[in-house]
Amino acid sequence: DWRLLFNKTQLKKYQNALNLLGVGIVLAHRHTLHDSMFIPLASDQVLTAYGRHSVWPRAFYTNVVHTYASIQDFATQVQQEGAHPFVSVSRETRQQVLTPSKFRAETGGTPIVVEATHYQLTNNATRFTINAPGPGVVYLGEAGDHREFQAFVNGKPVPLFTANYAFKAIKLDRAGLYQVVFDYWPSHFTAYVSAAAVGASLWLVLLVGAVVVFRRRD
């Protein structure tokens, strides 16, 4: 059920959604996509891999944040504006996290977008560098409940919030060069680790006690 097949017309129709989802490579029958939107990368006797140059960067900074009221509202924003990277949040997130008193980035006008650099990808974390020209947000196009992750800016923990309906972002209050880390840390993982540590300690105590008793019997 995860596989979606697109014809050439659909690739153009949904190109902004594909940009948002980070779809940078398209596979097609050999030499069937003759369009400036697609860049031939490699080919064999059956398929040709094409690159999409309009795909959004994995992570980026922007100084403009839009607001959506529903998933349909957000889908309309993607259809109209998804040719270029943007960040949109729910009204609740705007009120709770990005109120004027807490967030000094612009909320309108022409956005400034700065791509992340120096990526380091591991099993549980994504690290990169952002050179922010001013206050704004840093967006990461990796899906997941933001409550299951931790974020760090220059080694210090910072709050996360949901952006673009299913992805993650953090806010920056001023310009600067930042080392950003998004680390996967499930909400109950700390409790699980603590329980495992207590269990291991009890097991060690019992083991030592059994050895002492055995030696006394000898």
Side-chain angles (χ1 to χ4, degrees):
D1 293 337
W2 60 267
R3 184 173 61 178
L4 297 176
L5 298 178
F6 286 79
N7 58 37
K8 187 174 182 179
T9 301
Q10 290 171 323
L11 285 174
K12 292 185 177 181
K13 180 179 179 180
Y14 297 110
Q15 60 180 314
N16 288 352
L18 297 176
N19 293 342
L20 164 72
L21 296 174
V23 179
I25 296 177
V26 174
L27 299 179
H29 293 295
R30 291 194 68 191
H31 311 304
T32 56
L33 296 180
H34 301 287
D35 194 293
S36 59
M37 293 172 50
F38 307 103
I39 306 170
L41 300 177
S43 182
D44 61 14
Q45 296 181 353
V46 179
L47 295 175
T48 296
Y50 295 89
R52 299 183 63 254
H53 54 73
S54 61
V55 65
W56 290 10
R58 189 186 195 99
F60 60 87
Y61 156 94
T62 184
N63 65 328
V64 174
V65 178
H66 303 283
T67 304
Y68 60 85
S70 64
I71 181 61
Q72 291 79 12
D73 187 20
F74 175 66
T76 300
Q77 292 180 2
V78 173
Q79 184 177 7
Q80 295 176 348
E81 305 181 33
H84 304 285
F86 72 89
V87 171
S88 189
V89 299
S90 67
R91 290 178 177 175
E92 293 76 11
T93 298
R94 166 73 72 181
Q95 294 171 354
Q96 296 173 5
V97 183
L98 305 180
T99 56
S101 61
K102 297 179 181 179
F103 185 64
R104 295 182 290 158
E106 300 174 32
T107 56
T110 303
I112 298 173
V113 175
V114 179
E115 296 186 22
T117 59
H118 301 93
Y119 287 99
Q120 296 181 27
L121 307 179
T122 65
N123 291 337
N124 291 326
T126 297
R127 296 174 171 84
F128 52 85
T129 300
I130 285 286
N131 190 3
V137 298
V138 175
Y139 170 84
L140 178 63
E142 295 179 2
D145 189 339
H146 72 272
R147 294 169 294 183
E148 302 292 320
F149 291 80
Q150 296 177 330
F152 301 87
V153 174
N154 292 342
K156 297 180 180 180
V158 296
L160 291 91
F161 56 91
T162 298
N164 290 354
Y165 195 77
F167 303 95
K168 297 178 285 294
I170 60 173
K171 64 177 182 177
L172 300 176
D173 292 327
R174 59 185 61 86
L177 184 65
Y178 297 97
Q179 304 296 325
V180 181
V181 179
F182 285 82
D183 191 16
Y184 178 60
W185 193 269
S187 55
H188 300 294
F189 188 63
T190 300
Y192 297 153
V193 172
S194 300
V198 171
S201 299
L202 291 175
W203 179 82
L204 183 61
V205 169
L206 292 175
L207 179 62
V208 172
V211 171
V212 172
V213 171
F214 180 77
R215 288 182 176 178
R216 285 180 178 178
R217 288 181 177 178
D218 289 346

